[in-house]
Amino acid sequence: MTAYAVVIPTLARDTLADCLAALVAATGPRPEQVVLVDDRPEHGPGGLEHPLSVLGDLRERTTVLTGGGRGPAAARNTGLRAVTAPWTVFLDDDVQVGPHWCDQLAEDLTEAAPDVAGVQGVIAVPLPGERRPTDRERGTAGLARARWITADMAYRTEALKQVGGFDERFPRAFREDADLALRVLDAGWRIRRGRRTTRHPVRPADRWVSVRQQRGNADDALMRRLHGPDWWDKAAAPRGRIRRHAAVTTAGVAACALAVAGRPRAAAACALGWAAGTAEFARARIVPGPRTRQEVTTMLATSVLIPPAATWHRLSGAWRHRHVPARQEVTP
């Protein structure tokens, strides 16, 4: 059996107890270590008592570290520094491993060839069967197709240390996993998909979550600086709608500027372009969904806000990271 440690960054959310309970209940070889990294910026002793109480026989193997609120990339690095096992398995605190996960993980790691640095788990996102999924649910379901996500990702500890772990300039749970994987691949390792399965439920969220998620466009700008303009292809990542968002935002800004400048016809033309682009975006999000009043209202409101938010974060990220040098390949 190949020994492994489990590292879980957490904000002490309610989902952590279910995550740990599923890990305890999974059949198969137990992890040598469980490292929880409490990444709340400020916290007292509370918040982890209940999750720790469900650990059972894993409690004595569990270490709790403080992350300091620097984001999941930094939190995982904090956990990695405490790992002594040859494999480090990263889990998010809102997933639930399958009932045979430990057995399946053991098979995944045992079957890994010497040049395989990482083995990705299979992510399953439960969706409602009685209705069409919401925009939020469809977005979460996309995790099932994503590559290298750290919701359930096992890496050789030596490979992680060779490439320097996660890049802590990625402050959110976004793109830090793709950046790490590309550096691992550049170092001459391979990454493959395993057979173990982990469940990733859709977390409840308010109607403005999709607007806040546009902050990730700044991380896309960092990825471009680090890995070049073709990083999308290297990471097999969807390109999204950033170009359309920029065009719609430009049309809206131009309409306002032209109206102030006393050019009503040109302003009207730009306003029409903004309205058409916004309507197309809203329709693309509404049609596949349940089309309830709440969902339609949310899609209309956020479809107005998302293009300028995405454009702003992309431009601010490009400016902030304008001096970041491109990555150099790491010699294995």
Side-chain angles (χ1 to χ4, degrees), residues 23 30 36 62 98 169 174 177 198 234 244 268 295 297 326:
L23 179 61
R30 318 300 274 169
L36 298 180
T62 300
R169 288 173 293 187
F174 192 70
D177 44 11
T198 292
K234 295 177 183 177
R244 295 186 189 183
E295 178 73 0
T297 301

Side-chain angles (χ1 to χ4, degrees), residues 56-325:
D57 62 338
L58 286 182
R59 181 63 184 90
E60 62 183 17
R61 304 186 185 191
T62 300
T63 303
V64 179
L65 303 176
T66 299
R70 295 181 297 133
R76 293 190 191 103
N77 284 343
T78 297
L80 175 62
R81 287 191 287 271
V83 171
T84 58
W87 284 88
T88 301
V89 185
F90 296 106
L91 295 177
D92 287 347
D93 70 351
D94 57 353
V95 304
Q96 299 158 17
V97 300
H100 306 292
W101 185 83
C102 294
D103 275 324
Q104 294 169 335
L105 173 66
E107 294 177 4
D108 285 345
L109 302 186
T110 301
E111 294 173 2
D115 65 338
V116 170
V119 185
Q120 178 179 345
V122 176
I123 302 299
V125 179
L127 295 176
E130 71 281 2
R131 59 167 173 78
R132 295 178 178 182
T134 64
D135 180 71
R136 167 73 170 167
E137 291 165 342
R138 295 194 305 274
T140 304
L143 297 175
R145 302 184 298 274
R147 299 177 69 181
W148 314 318
I149 60 172
T150 45
D152 179 355
M153 188 71 194
Y155 276 109
R156 291 188 191 272
T157 305
E158 66 169 304
L160 291 172
K161 293 181 177 179
Q162 177 187 337
V163 300
F166 290 87
D167 189 330
E168 298 181 9
R169 288 173 293 187
F170 290 92
R172 287 165 285 274
F174 192 70
R175 303 302 189 207
E176 85 291 355
D177 44 11
D179 168 73
L180 173 64
L182 289 177
R183 286 187 284 120
V184 168
L185 294 173
D186 286 343
W189 297 91
R190 290 192 296 126
I191 301 174
R192 70 175 185 85
R193 185 179 293 269
R195 290 191 293 270
R196 67 190 186 278
T197 301
T198 292
R199 186 171 177 266
H200 193 308
V202 180
R203 295 200 312 271
D206 62 69
R207 64 169 47 186
W208 307 111
V209 63
S210 59
V211 179
R212 293 194 299 274
Q213 287 175 334
Q214 302 313 308
R215 297 169 183 167
N217 283 281
D219 303 312
D220 284 348
L222 178 55
M223 286 291 289
R224 181 184 176 89
R225 292 293 305 176
L226 293 173
H227 300 284
D230 62 342
W231 76 266
W232 303 92
D233 298 325
K234 295 177 183 177
R239 287 183 175 269
R241 300 174 64 103
I242 187 60
R243 292 182 179 177
R244 295 186 189 183
H245 289 335
V248 169
T249 301
T250 300
V253 171
C256 294
L258 290 167
V260 171
R263 300 176 60 185
R265 290 186 179 180
C270 289
L272 181 62
W274 172 86
T278 301
E280 183 276 330
F281 181 40
R283 182 181 184 279
R285 302 171 71 206
I286 292 171
V287 169
R291 305 182 199 177
T292 61
R293 176 178 295 182
Q294 179 178 1
E295 178 73 0
V296 171
T297 301
T298 298
M299 294 301 98
L300 290 174
T302 55
S303 293
V304 172
L305 297 175
I306 284 175
T311 303
W312 166 256
H313 287 297
R314 184 58 178 269
L315 291 174
S316 63
W319 176 259
R320 185 164 62 253
H321 302 303
R322 65 191 183 281
H323 297 309
V324 172

